[in-house]
Amino acid sequence: MRKTSLIFVYGPLLVFLALFALVPIIGVISSSVWVRGITSEFYAQSLSGQYLNAFVTTIKVAFWSGLVGLIGGGLAALSLWRTRWRWLTTAISALAGVLANFAGLPLAVAFMVTLGASGLVTNALQALLHINLSQMGFNLSSSGGLILVYSAFQVPLALLVSLPAFSSIPDDLEAAALSLGCGVPGYLWRVLLPILAPSLLGTFALLFANAFSAYVTAYAIAGGSINLVPIQIGYLIDGNVSLNVGLGNALAVEEMVVLGASLWVFALSVRLRAKRRAKVKGAMTIV
Amino acid sequence: MFEKWLYRVLIGLFLLQVLLPFAGLIQFTLVGGSGALSFASFATLFSDPSFASSLLNSLWLAASAVLLSIVIFTPPVWHAYLYAPRLLRVIEAVSFVPFVVPAVVLALAYVQFFSSGPLDLVGTPYLLPFAFALLGMPFYIQVFLNRLRHADARAIHEAAQTLGASDFQAFVRIQLPLLRSGIINGSLLVFTISIGEFTITQLTTGGSYSTLPLYLLITFTNNPLEGSAMAVVTLFLAVAGVVAALSAASSRRRRIHAVTASEEAS
């Protein structure tokens, strides 16, 4: 192909990436450390007071919703894999694919009308069992409430991501373990879990990143009453941009560092899994 | 026996946990107002002129984002897959940018970069199709690559060239029809993402341009019943997109299976 036609093939993509990703993001990074000279004041500001609290809350929500997601989704994936119902696995993965992408407004609205202050389940519990959720300290816009809401997309996402790891386990592994005198619980706990550990860690890292960057769900449910990093960045944009651009940029860079690190762990686990699988296969052929 | 039942219970709990909020949403929309089954909330919604205009805005934005994705991503991914595998790896890695740079950070970057000069786009909807295409990029490229790998595009392209077609001719007349299902499935995902996008839309236009998600939140605050009816409609649109993509993929696979089976039989 001639060089001129290569420009038509790759040119649009290059211009698009430069204009809508590369240059704006470099702008954010550079103006987080530069106002008439190099400065670290925005980072100092972003790691103190309410902004530091925002990091603590965001990490808390991301950690717990990730853990709930990992356990719930992991157990569901294990069950699907062990029951060997092909059609059910296909149907549930399709369902999980749809649900994992509903970390948006419909989900927030669904929770508000179900578990909100005058939601259906809230009212039903009050009327039927005389349980008052808000008197018990439950509040949908608290961090505990958000962890519950986030689980609705974290669990299906964990199922989707961990299912391939389960199905990559060779069938004769169980037979080998059982013939060596290991019961089913022992097989699950002492053989399967160590093999799957890197995949599960990677899944957790992905879920953590997913919750750490979630904005819409939290914004719709809690608005200003919960202090999260993405919400703080949103406020800095929504308010007056010229007010404190540097601070917003510093928060954005910190957010990208956290996400980058989490996704790096995820990518690492995927690579490790491939290596591990090759090793297990090798061991099986020796056996 | 005990083990089997344990797994069934776990699967049941999973379904209960993920479906309960949506069951609650649908029940609220249908019986939440009067306590009796009624479609009044949908009637209110569909007779609301602002709903129609925000739906139209969303459809227009989503269609533009799809068009942009097809034009910008298809040729380079195809070309790199055939001729430059190392470059393809770079494109794939770069396509994951939206996972590291979330929508709220992109919005922050855009309000600074597009607020002055020749590209003064903040406050207008013209920035949005590009932003949506960027958010959909990893999904479009993965789906399209999947199709490329399954379709044996390289061999078919070489055959076309041997028969005297130019690269351009072969791309337009042979490869595009061959890869159509990948392009359609990728487009459906970009469409679904665009229809549901809230963050960048709200933060870069300041809420001045009403799309489905923006109008949904306003409506829900003013009239929860109409708002939840709208959530059901949005949900339905998104599910339709994903289901269409899935069934297109599986029917394609079935057809290929049928073809290979009949070839083996003959």
Side-chain angles (χ1 to χ4, degrees):
Chain A
M1 206 183 260
R2 279 199 311 273
K3 278 215 172 102
T4 44
S5 39
L6 280 183
I7 293 174
F8 287 107
V9 172
Y10 291 102
L13 181 67
L14 284 177
V15 173
F16 171 78
L17 284 176
L19 268 183
F20 294 94
L22 201 62
V23 179
I25 292 166
I26 289 177
V28 164
I29 297 171
S30 66
S31 52
S32 73
V33 291
W34 188 273
V35 205
R36 291 180 295 271
I38 284 205
T39 172
S40 63
E41 65 165 289
F42 300 130
Y43 285 94
Q45 222 178 328
S46 72
L47 291 173
S48 65
Q50 58 164 324
Y51 298 106
L52 184 64
N53 285 338
F55 268 101
V56 173
T57 316
T58 316
I59 288 172
K60 194 172 118 190
V61 170
F63 178 85
W64 286 110
S65 76
L67 201 62
V68 170
L70 181 67
I71 294 172
L75 284 177
L78 171 76
S79 307
L80 276 179
W81 175 63
R82 297 285 290 178
T83 50
R84 291 165 202 276
W85 283 339
R86 269 293 186 78
W87 62 270
L88 189 70
T89 311
T90 318
I92 287 191
S93 338
L95 177 74
V98 175
L99 291 173
N101 289 312
F102 279 143
L105 279 178
L107 182 76
V109 166
F111 266 97
M112 283 189 276
V113 300
T114 327
L115 277 169
S118 55
L120 274 177
V121 172
T122 317
N123 288 344
L125 284 178
Q126 173 76 45
L128 300 175
L129 301 168
H130 301 287
I131 296 174
N132 189 323
L133 281 179
S134 60
Q135 266 172 21
M136 286 170 61
F138 179 80
N139 176 4
L140 208 53
S141 35
S142 66
S143 51
L146 273 193
I147 291 168
L148 182 76
V149 177
Y150 283 11
S151 308
F153 57 82
Q154 296 282 60
V155 170
L157 182 63
L159 171 78
L160 271 186
V161 178
S162 60
L163 206 53
F166 279 103
S167 34
S168 74
I169 303 286
D171 282 339
D172 21 8
L173 192 64
E174 186 184 1
L178 294 185
S179 73
L180 290 171
C182 172
V184 170
Y187 163 65
L188 294 181
W189 187 253
R190 283 170 37 208
V191 180
L192 209 57
L193 194 65
I195 294 179
L196 291 175
S199 297
L200 295 179
L201 180 70
T203 307
F204 176 76
L206 188 73
L207 298 180
F208 185 87
N210 195 30
F212 201 90
S213 61
Y215 172 81
V216 195
T217 317
Y219 177 85
I221 286 186
S225 67
I226 186 142
N227 187 10
L228 298 176
V229 179
I231 298 275
Q232 289 288 0
I233 298 175
Y235 271 150
L236 287 168
I237 305 171
D238 235 1
N240 193 342
V241 179
S242 58
L243 203 65
N244 201 342
V245 192
L247 176 61
N249 289 337
L251 285 171
V253 171
E254 285 154 4
E255 166 107 25
M256 287 192 277
V257 169
V258 173
L259 294 182
S262 311
L263 293 168
W264 179 72
V265 171
F266 173 67
L268 211 62
S269 82
V270 171
R271 219 176 306 156
L272 203 67
R273 188 173 91 203
K275 249 190 229 167
R276 203 58 179 269
R277 198 188 310 160
K279 226 191 266 174
V280 171
K281 266 199 190 133
M284 293 301 298
T285 47
I286 294 167
V287 169
Chain B
M1 200 54 212
F2 165 74
E3 206 198 339
K4 226 181 213 171
W5 279 104
L6 181 68
Y7 294 139
R8 283 178 196 174
V9 169
L10 284 173
I11 293 172
L13 281 177
F14 166 80
L15 287 174
L16 193 70
Q17 186 250 340
V18 295
L19 291 178
L20 199 60
F22 297 103
L25 174 67
I26 290 167
Q27 204 211 333
F28 178 77
T29 329
L30 294 181
V31 298
S34 52
L37 183 69
S38 130
F39 290 90
S41 53
F42 288 99
T44 324
L45 179 66
F46 290 130
S47 59
D48 180 351
S50 311
F51 169 68
S53 73
S54 57
L55 178 66
L56 216 62
N57 285 347
S58 273
L59 289 176
W60 176 83
L61 285 176
S64 318
V66 166
L67 200 67
L68 277 173
S69 306
I70 294 175
V71 171
I72 296 175
F73 305 143
T74 315
V77 171
W78 172 79
H79 188 266
Y81 175 78
L82 287 190
Y83 298 109
R86 221 177 282 165
L87 185 63
L88 181 69
R89 240 170 289 151
V90 176
I91 294 177
E92 251 192 293
V94 171
S95 79
F96 288 110
V97 152
F99 291 126
V100 182
V101 188
V104 71
V105 173
L106 275 177
L108 178 71
Y110 288 168
V111 292
Q112 292 168 69
F113 183 72
F114 293 107
S115 61
S116 59
L119 289 169
D120 188 3
L121 295 175
V122 169
T124 74
Y126 303 112
L127 185 60
L128 299 176
F130 294 96
F132 296 174
L134 187 73
L135 294 179
M137 178 166 64
F139 302 98
Y140 185 89
I141 288 183
Q142 284 310 313
V143 169
F144 182 62
L145 264 179
N146 229 349
R147 178 70 195 132
L148 264 177
R149 292 191 177 116
H150 282 288
D152 211 2
R154 195 193 314 266
I156 291 173
H157 189 61
E158 277 162 9
Q161 280 177 320
T162 317
L163 293 171
S166 73
D167 266 319
F168 181 74
Q169 267 178 324
F171 177 70
V172 173
R173 303 200 27 202
I174 313 250
Q175 296 285 316
L176 282 185
L178 175 73
L179 304 170
R180 195 180 52 209
S181 72
I183 295 172
I184 292 173
N185 289 346
S187 301
L188 281 169
L189 289 179
V190 175
F191 185 84
T192 308
I193 290 166
S194 307
I195 286 282
E197 212 288 333
F198 177 85
T199 313
I200 297 182
T201 315
Q202 189 216 24
L203 293 173
T204 64
T205 64
S208 65
Y209 191 74
S210 180
T211 61
L212 268 188
L214 258 64
Y215 188 63
L216 166 57
L217 194 59
I218 294 170
T219 314
F220 183 72
T221 321
N222 297 331
N223 177 0
L225 215 54
E226 192 189 342
S228 43
M230 202 167 162
V232 173
V233 172
T234 317
L235 216 60
F236 181 77
L237 273 178
V239 172
V242 175
V243 169
L246 284 174
S247 66
S250 70
S251 75
R252 181 90 201 179
R253 219 172 297 138
R254 241 176 287 135
R255 222 178 308 145
I256 290 170
H257 274 310
V259 169
T260 41
S262 65
E263 273 170 4
E264 276 163 14
S266 61

